[in-house]
Amino acid sequence: MADDGASSEVRPGNQGAAPRSRRWAAASGVVAAVGAVVAGELLAGPLSPSLSPLTAVGGVMIDALPPGVKEWAVSLFGTADKAVFVVGMLLVIAAVGALAGILEHRRKFAGVAVMALFGLVGLAAVLTRAQLTPGAVPVPLLAALAGGLLLRFLVRRLQEEAPAYAGGAGGAGGAGGAGGARTPGRRTFLQVLAATAGVTAVGGIVAAVWRGTAAGISTAREKLQLPPAASGAPAIPAGAEVGLGGMQPLVTPNRDFYRIDTALIVPVIDPVTWTLRVTGMVDQEIQLNLADLLTKPLIERHVTIACVSNEVGGDLIGNARWLGWPVRELLALARPQSGADMVLTRSSDGWTAGTPLEALTDGRDAMLAVGMNGEPLPLEHGFPVRMIVPGLYGYVSATKWLTELRLTRFADEEGYWTPRGWSERGPIRTASRIDVPRTGRRVSAGTVMFGGVAWAQHTGVGKVELRVNRGPWQAADLAPGISRDTWYQWQLGIELAPGQYEVQVRATDLNSQPQAEERRSVAPDGATGFHTIRVDVNP
Ligand SMILES: Nc1nc2c(c(=O)[nH]1)N[C@H]1C(S)=C(S)[C@@H](COP(=O)(O)O)O[C@H]1N2
Ligand SMILES: [Mo]
């Protein structure tokens, strides 16, 4: 195809060479743009550990995503959603970089201008974030400067040292021949480009390791000695775990515990300098540090927490043994003023949740948690301190990386998710789930064992029933719960002949309130409907 006599006589530095040199200019732009990002991450290390330009831009984008898109992304990518998001951002950045390279090749400083724009976008994003500190401001500008210098340097090398490939201004021609030969000039340019890309890659790995592992804080966390609870967790009753193969453990191990939050990188908080403030409509403002908190009489309780985005049958729910100080005791010291009906909790990254004051003072085990299943909170689950409130969805109560409790009124302020299409109040809906057998699974005829969990937070589960092909409800064996603040396991053997069946579950709480039957999706205040599975019974 290329060999069509008439047009084969390509002039050096023209049609044949220009596209190729444009490609190298684009590659230079990619290296420069990624280099700028890496520079930003590295500079953020010493200057602004909890806010880099990349995480600032990502945070702005996450906050701006319509709630539907967010749910979709979470369901599509599961817990990998953040990695996928970051990779997506880097691809866009690389594409913009390629464009900058091509522009710079065509016209001096045109690509550098794109890099400058990059820096301004980063700066604008940084300025809007809650973690903003003075040190964060110069980072995007210095990063953009690094990217701009790198781009200019690479494109100049491309144009000077491989003039045959420079299709740009002046039609620099001749020296290298018509596009095929490996001239010394071109080889030098490629070496420079490869070296720069290598340095950028190494820098990227250093930045990722540095920021990703947050080594110092992880060590501090591991060294942290949690005091024993003044009031220990009630023993788990015998038989609470039904022990059916394929069921999930009654107490969810930390590494398997679902994680939901808007934080692109896990906030890393130094436990030594961490403070918690109680502000707003209180007679006595309070500030305390972790050492203070750990001297308080702590309680330890099993509490099941759930996400409002948990679909019927979903797994955004987990049960852990939390160690913490009752929130009501802190509030008693602060003395809320009359009229206050909401506690707006805030995290180090500016996320907020609006919790009814009532739920924090009515005697339930709402706590400022420091421990999860016998160890300090994992970084992803809110180290050093988070709030746990039995009976409320996480988005209105379970603030991780907690830094402030602000007494206010629902009439005056709202939590992060409320203006984004979610209810102001979020009590966890009574619900149930079939875990065994998995939907669509083939089983053998005879007694088929069904098992799963049910929860009616802070009320307790009264009964669980199953029905086959919309027949009569049959009572399942309900295992004893650890407390009314945890989920309960259940099981039931049902005689099934070969065929295909639809099996549904429903829970009823200890006040005889059955869970809602109507199928509704998660927004604005939690999914409803019966979890329904299909079972194929083999002969
Ligand atoms: N700082 C902060 N805390 C947060 C959130 C958040 O986005 N940021 N998300 C909340 C939501 S929606 C839920 S469901 C729970 C999840 O807690 P987990 O990740 O420990 O399971 O955390 C809550 N606490
Ligand atoms: Mo959530």
Side-chain angles (χ1 to χ4, degrees), residues 204-420:
I205 291 167
V206 169
V209 169
W210 185 354
R211 304 184 59 78
T213 62
I217 302 305
S218 301
T219 315
R221 174 186 170 275
E222 278 151 28
K223 286 208 192 116
L224 188 69
Q225 289 287 335
L226 293 180
S231 160
I236 297 179
E241 189 126 30
V242 304
L244 202 60
M247 295 256 300
Q248 292 186 9
L250 183 64
V251 179
T252 316
N254 290 355
R255 67 173 179 284
D256 298 336
F257 209 95
Y258 80 94
R259 176 187 164 198
I260 292 288
D261 54 66
T262 60
L264 196 55
I265 55 160
V266 177
V268 170
I269 298 179
D270 183 344
V272 174
T273 57
W274 175 84
T275 58
L276 178 66
R277 300 196 311 136
V278 186
T279 62
M281 300 170 69
V282 290
D283 284 347
Q284 177 66 56
E285 291 210 346
I286 292 181
Q287 177 160 342
L288 86 174
N289 61 29
L290 192 62
D292 298 333
L293 180 55
L294 294 180
T295 61
K296 307 292 183 188
L298 306 183
I299 60 171
E300 195 163 35
R301 300 285 184 268
H302 286 96
V303 178
T304 299
I305 66 167
C307 183
V308 68
S309 298
N310 194 31
E311 298 285 354
V312 171
D315 57 7
L316 299 181
I317 178 168
N319 183 39
R321 180 164 47 89
W322 307 96
L323 174 73
W325 188 38
V327 184
R328 62 173 177 278
E329 293 183 20
L330 174 62
L331 292 176
L333 296 179
R335 299 196 304 278
Q337 294 167 355
S338 67
D341 62 359
M342 180 223 258
V343 175
L344 189 72
T345 47
R346 183 178 296 273
S347 65
S348 67
D349 62 344
W351 188 85
T352 55
T355 309
L357 177 58
E358 167 87 30
L360 302 175
T361 52
D362 67 2
R364 74 182 80 184
D365 294 320
M367 62 175 113
L368 304 163
V370 292
M372 182 178 186
N373 291 327
E375 47 177 280
L377 293 178
L379 299 187
E380 317 79 70
H381 293 291
F383 182 80
V385 179
R386 74 176 304 173
M387 199 156 79
I388 290 291
V389 182
L392 301 185
Y393 284 123
Y395 82 106
V396 290
S397 68
T399 305
K400 306 190 273 189
W401 314 293
L402 183 66
T403 57
E404 186 187 355
L405 273 70
R406 187 180 155 72
L407 274 288
T408 178
R409 306 189 312 168
F410 277 100
D412 296 338
E413 290 184 79
E414 51 191 6
Y416 180 91
W417 283 111
T418 303
R420 292 172 169 84

